Amino acid sequence: MSKSTLGTLLIITTLSLVAASFFFSQTAVSGGSDDDNEGYFSKIQYRGVMPVKNSEYQNECSSCHMAYSPGLLPAKSWQKIMTNLDDHFGDNAELLPESQQNIANYLLKNAADKSNYYRSKSIVRSLRNHKVVDRITQTPYFIRKHHEIPKRYVINNPKVGSFSQCNACHLNAEKSSFNEDEVSIPGVGYWHE
Ligand code: HEC
Ligand code: HEC
């Protein structure tokens, strides 16, 4: 092999290695499909929604379902929920006034419309011109992400019961991570579209 052929080969190999590593870094970061048009860098920095970091909220609001990330609903929704705790989806979830105030402050301050996390932004966008909802599961974003899942996997599945039990299916829900490849529906298994 002549020196110049060897040189050309080397250049080609280097170029394809660079191209391949660029391709793999892209797919690793986007981690599966997502139809939201957030910028590439904001995805790295702000993946998912904000994890819960408030022990009072965690303690008081996780006995009947997980303590949902404040970034899953806008401030108006949290306000509605926190002012109606005596009639909370058929339950009484009332708290002592001080606790209620502290938790409301935490939720309102970190609500989806105050957040830089890209899923929070998507949720807020989906609610544009929408009435105030008191459920994550009523946001157009949530409905769009779950409409293909049959009822028999959810309501008629004793190990799930309702869509409000995020952590029944999302293995890392408690860490506020909801990636598609971290979903396993009890009795059904890993979800493949
Ligand atoms: C006594 C039990 C109980 C406690 C305590 C409780 N909740 Fe709930 N919560 C419920 C029930 C029941 C539902 C409706 C679940 C369903 O439809 O399957 C619900 C639903 C919700 C939803 C809507 C979930 C969805 O479907 O999108 C939010 C948000 C919520 N609760 C927030 C809170 C907050 C904040 C607190 C603490 C202040 C709290 N909950 C404490 C029983 C409780
Ligand atoms: C019955 C199981 C189940 C429950 C309960 C459930 N999910 Fe999901 N979720 C899924 C599946 C399956 C997907 C993937 C759907 C698809 O790609 O078609 C998904 C997708 C998502 C996505 C989009 C993931 C992505 O990468 O685009 C988000 C965000 C999400 N769920 C949040 C929640 C939240 C918040 C709750 C609770 C309020 C919840 N889910 C409850 C099964 C569930």
Side-chain angles (χ1 to χ4, degrees):
M1 206 184 288
S2 77
K3 261 192 186 157
S4 63
T5 328
L6 193 67
T8 318
L9 260 178
L10 261 173
I11 290 170
I12 292 173
T13 320
T14 319
L15 279 179
S16 39
L17 274 175
V18 169
S21 58
F22 182 70
F23 174 78
F24 281 118
S25 65
Q26 292 274 319
T27 43
V29 165
S30 55
S33 70
D34 200 281
D35 42 349
D36 305 304
N37 291 321
E38 289 295 325
Y40 167 59
F41 286 104
S42 71
K43 270 192 185 173
I44 305 177
Q45 283 175 293
Y46 302 119
R47 190 148 185 89
V49 287
M50 193 187 90
V52 173
K53 285 193 193 118
N54 180 293
S55 53
E56 191 168 16
Y57 171 57
Q58 179 72 51
N59 293 339
E60 299 291 353
C61 299
S62 66
S63 49
C64 308
H65 47 70
M66 61 175 274
Y68 306 111
S69 164
L72 288 167
L73 283 173
K76 274 187 184 157
S77 297
W78 288 122
Q79 179 86 48
K80 187 171 177 184
I81 292 162
M82 291 306 292
T83 48
N84 288 297
L85 286 177
D86 57 331
D87 181 14
H88 183 75
F89 307 96
D91 273 343
N92 187 339
E94 266 184 306
L95 297 168
L96 293 171
E98 200 195 330
S99 254
Q100 183 187 334
Q101 196 53 57
N102 292 342
I103 292 169
N105 287 347
Y106 168 69
L107 292 170
L108 292 175
K109 197 170 151 221
N110 296 289
D113 45 339
K114 314 275 164 62
S115 175
N116 273 325
Y117 283 77
Y118 86 101
R119 273 198 216 290
S120 296
K121 286 179 181 289
S122 303
I123 291 167
V124 171
R125 248 199 321 270
S126 87
L127 280 164
R128 202 172 34 199
N129 303 328
H130 203 278
K131 64 177 188 335
V132 179
V133 292
D134 55 6
R135 281 181 180 269
I136 303 152
T137 51
Q138 277 172 356
T139 60
Y141 176 84
F142 183 95
I143 295 165
R144 172 158 60 82
K145 293 288 186 182
H146 296 85
H147 75 281
E148 285 170 12
I149 304 168
K151 275 204 170 79
R152 65 176 188 282
Y153 291 173
V154 191
I155 298 158
N156 302 335
N157 183 344
K159 292 191 183 115
V160 182
S162 94
F163 269 123
S164 310
Q165 304 297 333
C166 320
N167 49 330
C169 304
H170 290 277
L171 306 175
N172 293 319
E174 314 259 10
K175 293 183 207 145
S176 293
S177 176
F178 293 97
N179 297 333
E180 277 168 308
D181 49 5
E182 302 163 356
V183 182
S184 178
I185 304 179
V188 182
Y190 279 90
W191 180 260
H192 303 286
E193 271 182 283

